[in-house]
Amino acid sequence: MQKIILFTTILLVAIVTQLTAQEKDSVQSLKWSTSQSEPKRFEIGPDKSPEFNNQNVFTVKSIKSKIDGFGTSMRTINPDLFLGKTIKMSGYVKSKQVKSWAGLWMRVDYYRTAVLAFDNMQNRSIKGTTDWKKYEIVLFVPKEATSISYGVLLDGTGQIWFKDVTLEVVDDTVPETGSNKGRLHKTISFETRAKAIGDQIKKISDYEKNALKTEIDSIDNEVAKGMISKEKGENLKLKKAEIHAGNIEKNVFVEEKKLNQLVQDRVDGKVEAEKVNKSEGARFTIGDYNDCTDEDKTIVNLTSMKVYHGQKDVENRQSKRTTTQFVFAFGANNLVTDKQVANSDFKYFKSHFYEWGITGNTRILKEDNLLHFKYGMSLMYNNLRATDDRYFEKNGAQTNLVASTVHLEESRFRNVYVMVPLHLEFDFTKKEVRDDASYFRTHKSARIGIGGYAGFRVKSKQILYFDDAVGNDVEQKTKGNFNVNDFNYGLSTYVGYKSTSVYLKYDLQPLFENNTVDQNNISLGLRFDFN
């Protein structure tokens, strides 16, 4: 009896070892495919240099002096052997003059509908010149997974070499390395799964039909050139049609089986239906928006007055080539007289400006996030508070600052403008690469804007507060043009980080039309651009 148990144990160990070896061999035997964000930016493939003699080494090398994009060598496999397990991808990488970053990457997908787990080492990336070193990625593969893709990526210029890339199942106690962890993925609803399977069935059918059309066109071309007879061509077409029809039947059968099982799971209550109330659990934010880990949560940004339907919607809308921002600015305001602000007739901290409006922000280069053209429309309030109980008085074509006969608690001169600001903005936010896609988000790093503005005056008003002869509080408001120029234009610049900037404006147009001394408005304050 002991011999039988011993023999059975040895046999089971041998079977498990053989299955593990077959699993590794099946992964290792796959060929590497290539992909790059733009064509002819990278050389990707085996490196046959003498220094790598008898080694199976592959390389990704930039062939342009400046590249804003990535190149990758990758594989995509069926996940069936790894469902519900934790897997580790490991490999050796060597780098040379990598300016941006490089790394291993692995992604677990549910068709093209959802990324269940992902890591590309961007938070611990390879940079510069390094010798051979082993790197690892660990992800959990949810049971819903339909594919696993993995590879090695180079972003920007430089060169990397890689070898001995393997996948293996590890203990579930090994922590995941990805920013998108498989164990934390949200359950995919019945409706989403059903649609994904339906899309896959259509994709299979369309692919086979297009492949058949290409082959038929090739056969017709051979018949037209007399390379084969018409009768032989018709027979070849029938055979090709049978092959592709068989492929459709076989592959669609697999997906239909999944769909039938999904329906049964829904009936058994194993799969949840999609929630109707999408607004439940909405998140309200003010100011800079920090990325949310809940992909389906409704996000309401009160400062930018925008509603996002989940984190993916935030990324997609903020990565468009043209985005919009709500702008609010405030600060100190004064007049430049005889080319100086010193010894001003107006209070430095109590004279102020306000500005708010909407701007459009267009990325100038398609694949570079540095240069942006910023434009829009804003409402601007410039307030001046005179010193020494003085106020403005219109005297014909002149507007003079005159002394009051009574003490003025408040002397404020306000001009309101509608302005069109135009700026060239340098945004140093780096491009993000996730899921083999590039995201050009703005207002996530340092920014510099240089430009100007032009517009027209809406109204002018002077407000005076004082006590009358019997001690009553008096408020006097006077509306008029006060000889203020109806049109205004000037230069402006801002320097800041994320949504907050230091903002400087200078009116090239004098405040008053015909005064003997030109006085130009200058403003310094803070500016907020909310996505």
Side-chain angles (χ1 to χ4, degrees):
M1 183 69 178
Q2 291 178 342
K3 290 183 178 180
I4 295 174
I5 294 173
L6 179 62
F7 176 77
T8 304
T9 302
I10 293 172
L11 182 62
L12 286 173
V13 170
I15 291 172
V16 170
T17 303
Q18 184 178 6
L19 287 173
T20 303
Q22 288 176 349
E23 181 179 298
K24 288 185 177 180
D25 289 343
S26 64
V27 171
Q28 288 292 91
S29 63
L30 287 173
K31 291 183 178 180
W32 291 97
S33 61
T34 65
S35 176
Q36 40 188 306
S37 55
E38 285 191 23
K40 298 180 181 180
R41 294 290 188 273
F42 298 89
E43 288 181 352
I44 308 174
D47 193 324
K48 302 297 184 181
S49 303
E51 62 176 306
F52 302 132
N53 190 28
N54 298 323
Q55 298 184 62
N56 197 19
V57 175
F58 293 81
T59 186
V60 181
K61 178 182 179 181
S62 63
I63 57 175
K64 298 286 185 180
S65 59
K66 184 178 179 181
I67 296 175
D68 193 357
F70 65 89
T72 181
S73 188
M74 59 178 288
R75 292 169 171 166
T76 299
I77 62 172
N78 187 301
D80 290 351
L81 293 172
F82 305 106
L83 295 178
K85 299 176 182 178
T86 303
I87 61 173
K88 179 174 72 176
M89 172 193 180
S90 61
Y92 290 85
V93 181
K94 176 182 178 181
S95 66
K96 180 181 179 182
Q97 297 178 347
V98 174
K99 188 174 181 180
S100 180
W101 66 279
L104 305 180
W105 66 271
M106 180 162 60
R107 190 183 70 237
V108 181
D109 292 324
Y110 182 75
Y111 295 102
R112 294 186 176 183
T113 301
V115 177
L116 307 182
F118 179 71
D119 185 13
N120 65 357
M121 284 183 54
Q122 192 169 10
N123 60 349
R124 58 191 192 285
S125 58
I126 304 166
K127 297 182 179 181
T129 300
T130 61
D131 204 351
W132 287 111
K133 183 179 177 181
K134 188 176 183 179
Y135 299 91
E136 296 178 347
I137 285 176
V138 178
L139 291 178
F140 177 76
V141 182
K143 291 184 178 180
E144 300 95 325
T146 58
S147 67
I148 299 173
S149 300
Y150 63 98
V152 184
L153 177 148
L154 170 64
D155 182 78
T157 58
Q159 183 174 11
I160 57 171
W161 296 264
F162 64 96
K163 63 180 180 179
D164 302 334
V165 177
T166 60
L167 291 183
E168 60 180 310
V169 176
V170 296
D171 193 88
D172 286 343
T173 58
V174 179
E176 291 185 75
T177 59
S179 55
N180 185 356
K181 293 178 172 55
R183 287 189 179 86
L184 299 179
H185 93 278
K186 193 169 183 179
T187 303
I188 305 171
S189 68
F190 170 78
E191 290 82 359
T192 300
R193 291 195 196 187
K195 184 178 184 305
I197 295 174
D199 290 343
Q200 182 66 12
I201 291 174
K202 183 178 184 303
K203 179 182 173 184
I204 291 169
S205 179
D206 290 344
Y207 174 81
E208 295 296 338
K209 289 177 180 177
N210 290 333
L212 176 60
K213 182 179 183 303
T214 300
E215 291 178 348
I216 288 176
D217 289 342
S218 178
I219 292 171
D220 287 339
N221 189 40
E222 291 180 2
V223 171
K225 292 181 178 179
M227 299 171 64
I228 58 175
S229 66
K230 185 176 181 180
E231 182 180 355
K232 185 176 181 180
E234 293 300 321
N235 290 333
L236 285 173
K237 289 181 186 179
L238 288 174
K239 289 181 180 180
K240 296 292 183 182
E242 290 175 1
I243 292 172
H244 288 285
N247 290 341
I248 292 175
E249 183 178 359
K250 177 181 66 175
N251 295 325
V252 168
F253 173 77
V254 173
E255 300 303 323
E256 287 178 341
K257 187 177 179 182
K258 292 180 183 178
L259 186 59
N260 292 335
Q261 184 61 51
L262 177 65
V263 173
Q264 186 60 51
D265 289 343
R266 177 71 189 102
V267 172
D268 296 340
K270 296 179 181 179
V271 181
E272 294 183 359
E274 191 170 4
K275 293 181 180 180
V276 176
N277 186 4
K278 287 290 186 179
S279 62
E280 185 177 352
R283 174 179 177 177
F284 294 88
T285 64
I286 297 175
D288 282 332
Y289 168 72
N290 296 317
D291 292 349
C292 176
T293 55
D294 191 342
E295 293 186 358
D296 294 330
K297 188 183 287 291
T298 297
I299 302 157
V300 181
N301 193 310
L302 299 177
T303 44
S304 65
M305 299 179 289
K306 291 180 181 178
V307 178
Y308 298 101
H309 302 292
Q311 174 63 25
K312 199 69 176 178
D313 187 34
V314 173
E315 294 175 354
N316 289 337
R317 286 167 61 183
Q318 291 188 0
S319 296
K320 289 183 177 181
R321 194 162 182 180
T322 296
T323 57
T324 60
Q325 292 81 39
F326 173 76
V327 176
F328 174 69
F330 69 94
N333 190 69
N334 219 293
L335 291 183
V336 175
T337 305
D338 292 331
K339 300 183 179 179
Q340 65 176 12
V341 188
N343 303 316
S344 175
D345 292 326
F346 306 95
K347 297 176 181 179
Y348 289 107
F349 296 107
K350 292 188 176 181
S351 297
H352 53 258
F353 80 95
Y354 296 104
E355 181 180 356
W356 55 87
I358 300 294
T359 62
N361 189 356
T362 298
R363 189 171 72 251
I364 294 175
L365 301 176
K366 183 179 180 182
E367 295 296 331
D368 192 300
N369 204 36
L370 180 62
L371 295 178
H372 294 254
F373 178 49
K374 199 152 188 173
Y375 48 91
M377 181 170 288
S378 62
L379 191 65
M380 184 167 67
Y381 284 68
N382 289 340
N383 292 278
L384 294 168
R385 282 181 166 89
T387 61
D388 301 328
D389 293 331
R390 290 179 293 177
Y391 63 96
F392 281 108
E393 184 177 77
K394 185 177 177 182
N395 184 13
Q398 297 288 304
T399 302
N400 302 318
L401 197 61
V402 299
S404 171
T405 57
V406 298
H407 172 63
L408 298 177
E409 298 291 339
E410 170 86 346
S411 174
R412 186 182 353 151
F413 184 54
R414 174 188 295 164
N415 292 287
V416 182
Y417 301 90
V418 172
M419 307 302 292
V420 176
L422 301 171
H423 291 93
L424 178 65
E425 182 175 280
F426 299 83
D427 192 321
F428 296 93
T429 304
K430 289 188 176 181
K431 175 188 67 176
E432 300 175 27
V433 179
R434 293 192 306 279
D435 308 343
D436 292 341
S438 297
Y439 292 87
F440 296 92
R441 298 174 72 181
T442 61
H443 301 75
K444 294 292 181 180
S445 186
R447 296 183 298 115
I448 300 173
I450 302 173
Y453 50 89
F456 58 90
R457 182 177 61 87
V458 177
K459 65 179 179 178
S460 296
K461 179 191 295 186
Q462 184 163 247
I463 305 168
L464 304 178
Y465 290 95
F466 55 92
D467 293 338
D468 63 12
V470 294
N472 295 320
D473 293 333
V474 177
E475 178 184 2
Q476 178 180 308
K477 296 182 180 180
T478 306
K479 296 181 182 180
N481 66 3
F482 288 89
N483 295 318
V484 174
N485 274 302
D486 289 330
F487 296 95
N488 192 19
Y489 59 93
L491 301 176
S492 57
T493 183
Y494 53 88
V495 179
Y497 182 74
K498 291 189 174 179
S499 65
T500 307
S501 305
V502 176
Y503 189 28
L504 175 64
K505 301 183 297 176
Y506 177 70
D507 288 357
L508 295 176
Q509 176 81 299
L511 177 61
F512 299 107
E513 288 182 298
N514 300 306
N515 275 15
T516 54
V517 177
D518 286 344
Q519 293 178 297
N520 301 72
N521 205 85
I522 188 169
S523 306
L524 176 65
L526 293 178
R527 171 184 171 127
F528 301 91
D529 296 69
F530 296 113
N531 263 315

